[in-house]
Amino acid sequence: MRKKRFRFILITVLMLISLGIFTTDVHASKDPTQESGTKTIQCDACDGSGVCMECLGSKESCDSCKNSRQCTTCQGSGYIASPSKFYNTAWALLPPLIAIGLALLTKEVYSSLFIGIIVGGLLFANFSLEGTLLHVFNDGIANVLADSYNVGILVFLVILGTMVCLMNKAGGSAAFGRWAKEHVKSRVGAQLAVIILGCLIFIDDYFNCLTVGSVMRPLTDAHRISRAKLAYIIDATAAPICIIAPISSWAAAVAGFAEDGQGLSLFIQAIPYNFYALLTILMMVGLVLMKIDFGAMAKHEAMRLKTMMYLVEKAYISR
C-alpha cells in the first residue's frame, strides 16, 4: 500500500510540474492565439504575416492596401477575431465526443465522423445553416479535393482498401491459419506463426490487428497462450511492420510531408534508421524464443499455464 501511495503521489507531482511548465510556456508565448480564453485566430488573408498579399509590401502604389503595405483584413497585426463564438471554449470538444460516442454505439465510423463534422460546422457558423453548408463543403471537402496531393492520397488509400478486400475474399489469411493449426505443435511455434502472419499483412496496421487476431486466436487458444500475450505480439508487429513497409497506409501519409514528390524515396532511405520498428520486432522475436514474459503479461501467461497443467492432470486421472 505504501509503495502504491508513494507512486501515486510521485506521478501526481510530476503531472502538476509538467502542467505548470506547459502553462508557463503557453502564457510566455507572444502568439495571441495561444493565450488563455482568447478569441483570436490567424488571419487567412495574409497567413499571419500582416503584409498586403497584393503588393507584398514592395510596390510603391497599391490600390488594395492604399500604399499602407499592410493586410486590410487584419490591419497588419496578422490576427483577427474568430467568427465563431464557440472558439476556444469547452464546446469545441463536442464534435469529437459525438463522433467517438456514435462510433462506439453504432459501430459505424463513416457516418459518425460525418455527423461530427456537421456538428463542428454548426459551431463554427454559430448554428447558421447556410454558413454550416458553406464551411463544410466549400472550405472543407471542396478545398481538400482541389489539392492534387490530397486526391493522390485518396486514390492510394482506395487502392489499398481494394487490396484488403481482395485478401479477405481470397481467403489467404484464413488458409494460413488453418495450415498453422495443422503443422504448429508448440507454444513457441504458435507465437512465431502469429509474427509471420503479422509481417505478411503490412498494408495497414489496423487491418493487421483485426485479421491476425481473428485468424490466429484459435491456434493460440489451442496452445494455451494467454490473450494478453497474443495482444502484445499482434500490437508489436502491426505498427512496426507497417511503418517500414513502402506499400502501406503509413508510407502514403509519411511520404506526403516531403516536397517535390521525393517522399517515397526518402521514406525508403529512412527504413534502416527506424530503430523503434526494427528493435521492437527484434525484441518481440527474442522474447518469444527465450520464453521471457514480464509485467501483467507474465501473470496472465502463468495463469494460462496453470490451467493447462490442471487440464492435463485431470485428463490423465480420468484415464
Side-chain angles (χ1 to χ4, degrees), residues 216-297:
M216 302 304 292
R217 191 185 302 121
L219 176 65
T220 55
D221 286 347
H223 290 277
R224 298 293 174 182
I225 299 171
S226 66
R227 295 289 175 85
K229 185 66 173 290
L230 175 62
Y232 165 73
I233 295 174
I234 293 174
D235 186 67
T237 308
I241 199 65
C242 288
I243 62 179
I244 60 175
I247 305 176
S248 66
S249 57
W250 276 77
V254 174
F257 290 102
E259 299 178 354
D260 302 328
Q262 299 297 319
L264 185 59
S265 176
L266 292 174
F267 179 87
I268 295 174
Q269 294 176 18
I271 290 176
Y273 304 99
N274 199 328
F275 298 117
Y276 160 73
L278 298 175
L279 292 177
T280 298
I281 296 174
L282 184 63
M283 173 183 172
M284 176 183 52
V285 175
L287 292 177
V288 169
L289 292 176
M290 292 185 291
K291 301 179 182 180
I292 298 175
D293 299 307
F294 56 91
M297 183 171 63

Side-chain angles (χ1 to χ4, degrees), residues 22 112 128 139 201-202 215 220 224 229 235 246 250 264 301:
F22 173 78
S112 302
S128 169
D139 299 338
I201 305 176
F202 51 81
V215 170
T220 55
R224 298 293 174 182
K229 185 66 173 290
D235 186 67
W250 276 77
L264 185 59
E301 280 290 280

Side-chain angles (χ1 to χ4, degrees), residues 168-185 193 197 214-219:
N168 282 332
K169 294 295 183 181
S173 302
F176 179 85
R178 291 192 297 270
W179 176 87
K181 196 170 183 179
E182 294 177 0
H183 294 81
V184 174
K185 305 300 181 182
L197 182 59
S214 59
V215 170
M216 302 304 292
R217 191 185 302 121
L219 176 65

Side-chain angles (χ1 to χ4, degrees), residues 33-175:
T33 62
Q34 301 296 323
E35 295 178 0
S36 178
T38 183
K39 294 290 183 182
T40 304
I41 61 174
Q42 187 178 17
C43 178
D44 292 333
C46 63
D47 292 331
S49 65
V51 180
C52 173
M53 301 306 291
E54 183 68 25
C55 64
L56 299 177
S58 60
K59 292 184 179 179
E60 295 183 359
S61 60
C62 177
D63 296 332
S64 177
C65 63
K66 298 180 181 180
N67 301 331
S68 66
R69 299 181 180 179
Q70 295 180 349
C71 175
T72 56
T73 303
C74 63
Q75 304 303 321
S77 66
Y79 304 98
I80 58 174
S82 173
S84 173
K85 60 184 179 182
F86 299 101
Y87 175 75
N88 201 15
T89 64
W91 289 101
L93 297 174
L94 186 61
L97 289 177
I98 289 177
I100 296 172
L102 288 176
L104 293 175
L105 291 174
T106 63
K107 310 299 182 183
E108 175 56 48
V109 177
Y110 298 112
S111 59
S112 302
L113 286 175
F114 183 73
I115 293 173
I117 292 171
I118 295 297
V119 173
L122 286 170
L123 294 178
F124 179 85
N126 298 315
F127 290 95
S128 169
L129 180 60
E130 181 181 359
T132 300
L133 294 176
L134 289 174
H135 179 63
V136 171
F137 291 100
N138 284 351
D139 299 338
I141 298 175
N143 189 31
V144 169
L145 293 179
D147 190 348
S148 59
Y149 165 74
N150 292 330
V151 174
I153 292 293
L154 181 62
V155 172
F156 182 78
L157 293 177
V158 169
I159 294 174
L160 285 181
T162 304
M163 293 176 64
V164 169
C165 291
L166 286 174
M167 290 176 65
N168 282 332
K169 294 295 183 181
S173 302

Side-chain angles (χ1 to χ4, degrees), residues 184 186-195 216 219-220 223 225:
V184 174
S186 65
R187 286 170 52 84
V188 173
Q191 295 172 63
L192 291 177
V194 176
I195 296 174
M216 302 304 292
L219 176 65
T220 55
H223 290 277
I225 299 171

